[in-house]
Amino acid sequence: MNKIYHFILFCFVTLCFAACSDDEPEFSGIDGKDHFISDFALTVDGITYQATITGDKITVEIPYNASLDGATVEYALCEGASINPNPSTIEDWENEWKFVVTSKMQESKVYSYTYQYADIEQSGSVVLATQAEVDNFAKTGINKIEGSLTIGTADGEEITNLDGLANLKHISNSLVINPSYKGADLTGLDNLEQLGSFKLGSTTSTSKNTTLKTVNLPSLLGVTGDFVVNSSVIEKISIPKAELIGEDMYVTSNALLDLDANAVKSVGASLIIKGSVTQEESATTEAIVFSALKQVGNELTIQYFPKLQGIYLPALESVSGTALFSDMSSIGSLAMTELHSVGGLTLKNCKEISTVELPDLVSCGEVSVDANKVNKFNISSLKDVFGDMTLSNLPIEELDLSQINFNGNTLTLQCNRLNKIVGSETFNGSLLLLPKNCRLTELTLEGISNIEGDFQCKDYFYVKEFVMPFVRVAGDMTISLNSGSVDTSAEIKFPNLQEIEGTLTLEKNTNANHITFPSLKKILGSCSITTERLKNDIEFTNLECIGTDGTNAQIVFKIEYTNILCPKLKTINGLFNIETSSAIFDMTVTEVSYPTVESISENLSIICPYPDFGPNGILSIDFSGLKSVKGISISGHEDVKDFSSFKYLFKNNVLTGESQWSVEECGYNPTYQDMKNGKYKLVE
């Protein structure tokens, strides 16, 4: 009895778990609950397409050029299950259907049917050298080439029609158009959606195809590599749906009239648009628009368009390389209102441009803008400059730099109407004021106390009062305000300047009235000062030291008209050269006097280079406080007869050899031995 009982129990359990299963089996444990489709296939024209059943999804994959008209179905259900509607009654399998599968126990599951197309692929590159090969390509049904497609040859049989390529949607590598293709456009490639790259010519050579006038790819969605059109005859480029150019987009044509790439959002490398293959203004395009473009991964270049009225880049946010706009004689404005970073900016040879709008620009690299009609230059948000900036010929009158960090780079201003510059307390870079043909009578610098680099100011011929607010200049300082003949009697003042860590150069400040440095105490580098045509002496009221110990600086004083006064100068670390002019050149100085100088680390030289012109008016030389020098050379001073101010050097054996003392062409020319013997001056 126990054996019969166990056998019946075994059979019952077996029946409970003997249900059919699919990808998501369900075991109820009781026969009659299963509601699965276990198999599904469609057959058409003798070809069977097996469905994929995933969960409640039934998907049939067919070639893109196949039809499901007249298809029949085969399917299988779990035992005892029913399906509604009955698939066998359906004829239109190109629609989507829903099927309800119901088990014996009236439990249901809904399945969704659909179908999808599969590509017909060609592995490897394809070359279509003749019209027949293009026509026959249609018969293959291929819509995807895993390789390159080359149409035509350099000089072979002509191809005039591309209708045989109408099925193509995808080319993984390059599409190359050779000169033997003689069509005027690319009609026939209307369904092409994806490209590895497009090449009509190259970035270094112009295509020899002279018949193709329009590059039209209306369905193109993206190019993973380069898009290159280098042709002297292309008139129109139309890729209205393309959103991505993975690498370079390079377009050059003498004949370009229209460029439609308004869906392009990103160019992975450089975007280069040129209206000439010979670097001269040629193409008559009137507008260049990239309305969706947000980023350029390298350079952005637009040039050689003589009739271009505007460049519209309203969505552009970043350019990793330099943005170059040049040789466009009609363009009136450049606006990139969303641009926040650019690797560099160059604007040149655009003679009619009057407005440059970069209101959101926060950081940039090297900048060079040369345009003599730009009266609006908006960089109001700029914070960081990571390269040199040069602004040339802009007719702007004021420039606010107070929010900009130049990060150790150089700002060069060559703007002849710029009369007011506002900066931050510390200018972190070099500031060069180098106007061209400047007729300003006033120049104001505000807010800048420290310059961390060099400062240069040249050729302000008509400035009447030049007052610089600096306290410290970390680099070199050069002042050369008037190299012409204009007599403005300018006042050149540095009332707060205390230290120059580099070289000081004062030259060609012709006809200036005063040059004063009342607070300057140290010049740590070399020094070159000339008094050519100055009305009064240059005054360094508190200057104590020139040069830095061990640097061997070059200190040059050229006393050509008036004197250079340094009443507190004690130390010169370097070579000290004093050059006096001649009375025939209207020099009015009568003495070379630096009695407070105690130490000169190298040689002292006092010369007049014009001894043949007669006495130059210098009557005395005073270095009475000098205690240390390597050697002294004096020449060309006919009226100087007393050298007693150097007696300390001989009495205390500072100068110990003849090579350390030389006096020539003076009123008295004592030798080294004369000085050792106390014969310091001429006895008459």
Side-chain angles (χ1 to χ4, degrees), residues 555-576:
I555 292 88
V556 179
F557 283 8
K558 292 185 178 181
I559 302 173
E560 297 188 353
Y561 204 65
T562 54
N563 216 331
I564 302 170
L565 304 181
C566 305
K568 295 184 179 181
L569 183 60
K570 292 183 178 181
T571 305
I572 292 177
N573 290 301
L575 180 67
F576 191 13

Side-chain angles (χ1 to χ4, degrees), residues 43-90:
T43 300
V44 61
D45 295 330
I47 301 174
T48 298
Y49 303 105
Q50 188 70 42
T52 299
I53 303 174
T54 303
D56 59 358
K57 305 293 184 184
I58 304 171
T59 305
V60 174
E61 188 175 87
I62 62 173
Y64 79 93
N65 58 352
S67 172
L68 290 175
D69 286 345
T72 59
V73 65
E74 295 180 6
Y75 66 96
L77 304 176
C78 287
E79 183 178 353
S82 62
I83 187 169
N84 184 44
N86 187 340
S88 300
T89 65
I90 295 174

Side-chain angles (χ1 to χ4, degrees), residues 390-442:
T390 302
L391 305 181
S392 302
N393 300 311
L394 278 65
I396 55 176
E397 295 183 359
E398 295 188 11
L399 186 62
D400 188 345
L401 309 169
S402 59
Q403 302 301 313
I404 302 175
N405 182 357
F406 283 88
N407 293 287
N409 297 295
T410 299
L411 171 63
T412 302
L413 299 174
Q414 299 175 320
C415 306
N416 58 13
R417 297 186 190 179
L418 183 61
N419 60 64
K420 184 176 181 180
I421 301 167
V422 179
S424 59
E425 181 176 353
T426 297
F427 186 93
N428 188 15
S430 295
L431 177 60
L432 312 184
L433 307 181
L434 309 173
K436 300 176 181 179
N437 302 316
C438 181
R439 301 185 69 87
L440 288 174
T441 58
E442 295 181 357

